[in-house]
Amino acid sequence: MRKISTIKSLCLLAVFVVAGFGAKAQYSHLETSFFIPSFNIPVGDFGKSVDNIPMYKTNMGKAAGFGFGAGARIAYRFDIGFGEVSPFAGVEFFWNRVKSDLRDAYDAGDYSKPFYVNVPVFFGVGYRYEITDIFTPFAEFGLGPDFLFIHKESSVLGDFKYKPTTSLAWEVGVGTYFNKRFSLGIHYYSFGSHKIKYKDNYAVLDNGDNIKRNLGSLMFRIGFHF
């Protein structure tokens, strides 16, 4: 009997929750967002300097320079009485060249330069509170996989291709909306801890260990919302 009573209580609670969301439906909105451009400054291992080329696996995942990005997101925002909550899902794309001194060294030797591409897929939640019609501060948190791609590098020894693993990433950010259609934000992205190995067999260079890099970036993001 106690089990049946518990089930009835849970069903009743579910009815109230659904009814509550129904009552709030007039304040809900499906929002599509585009972030372009985004600017990022690598931090941690990602931004550490490297003095030699080729970088090889030993230094790969370092020496990233100032980068650019773009992204798209779908969010469902609804009023909770003291602001709006927005569960979201989105994908972003970030591109970083290696730092300028390394690019010059690769060019001087007529070698192919590596570059990095991060593609995080985030699921998260945001919160915003409208202070005026044109000023609505927000905060958000997202979590999901990051797909890292590394362009090959070359030297007189030939081409070196890399195969990084996927890692769990997260991001946190704050900023403000203007007129609900335009936003500016500053975010920290942790792309996670990626293992990096050679894509092909370079037995002479490979010590058998996978290099692990903790990649992160400080992002400045411009958003357009519909």
Side-chain angles (χ1 to χ4, degrees):
M1 294 296 294
R2 181 177 296 178
K3 182 176 181 181
I4 294 176
S5 177
T6 301
I7 293 174
K8 287 182 178 179
S9 298
L10 290 174
C11 291
L12 186 61
L13 178 61
V15 169
F16 281 119
V17 170
V18 171
F21 278 111
K24 291 291 187 180
Q26 58 181 317
Y27 302 106
S28 65
H29 177 68
L30 185 64
E31 181 180 78
T32 302
S33 302
F34 299 96
F35 303 104
I36 183 169
S38 297
F39 307 96
N40 72 80
I41 301 173
V43 298
D45 288 345
F46 206 25
K48 286 184 178 178
S49 297
V50 173
D51 296 327
N52 59 288
I53 64 165
M55 294 170 66
Y56 298 128
K57 187 178 71 173
T58 305
N59 290 306
M60 197 53 62
K62 298 180 179 180
F66 184 83
F68 303 92
R73 172 186 294 181
I74 294 178
Y76 184 78
R77 58 187 180 90
F78 55 92
D79 195 299
I80 58 173
F82 47 92
E84 294 179 338
V85 172
S86 304
F88 66 80
V91 60
E92 298 183 67
F93 173 95
F94 300 105
W95 173 78
N96 292 82
R97 299 187 294 177
V98 293
K99 293 183 177 182
S100 59
D101 55 341
L102 286 184
R103 298 199 304 270
D104 293 341
Y106 279 102
D107 290 339
D110 197 24
Y111 300 149
S112 176
K113 302 181 288 291
F115 60 81
Y116 304 107
V117 173
N118 284 281
V119 183
V121 179
F122 285 128
F123 303 90
V125 64
Y127 173 78
R128 70 189 79 179
Y129 187 85
E130 183 178 299
I131 295 178
T132 70
D133 290 341
I134 60 172
F135 185 65
T136 304
F138 73 87
E140 67 175 46
F141 173 78
L143 186 71
D146 176 65
F147 302 92
L148 173 64
F149 303 90
I150 301 175
H151 186 266
K152 69 178 181 181
E153 64 175 342
S154 68
S155 72
V156 293
L157 299 176
D159 293 338
F160 301 97
K161 301 176 183 179
Y162 299 91
K163 186 178 180 181
T165 60
T166 301
S167 182
L168 182 64
W170 57 271
E171 69 94 1
V172 61
V174 296
T176 186
Y177 286 77
F178 300 94
N179 290 325
K180 297 184 180 180
R181 300 298 184 192
F182 175 71
S183 69
L184 294 175
I186 181 170
H187 303 253
Y188 175 75
Y189 280 57
S190 171
F191 294 120
S193 181
H194 292 269
K195 292 182 179 179
I196 300 173
K197 62 181 180 180
Y198 291 116
K199 191 172 183 179
D200 299 318
N201 183 25
Y202 298 106
V204 175
L205 299 174
D206 200 333
N207 59 9
D209 297 326
N210 291 331
I211 298 298
K212 184 178 289 187
R213 294 282 181 257
N214 294 311
L215 308 184
S217 284
L218 187 64
M219 304 284 181
F220 299 91
R221 209 173 65 184
I222 300 173
F224 300 90
H225 312 277
F226 306 93

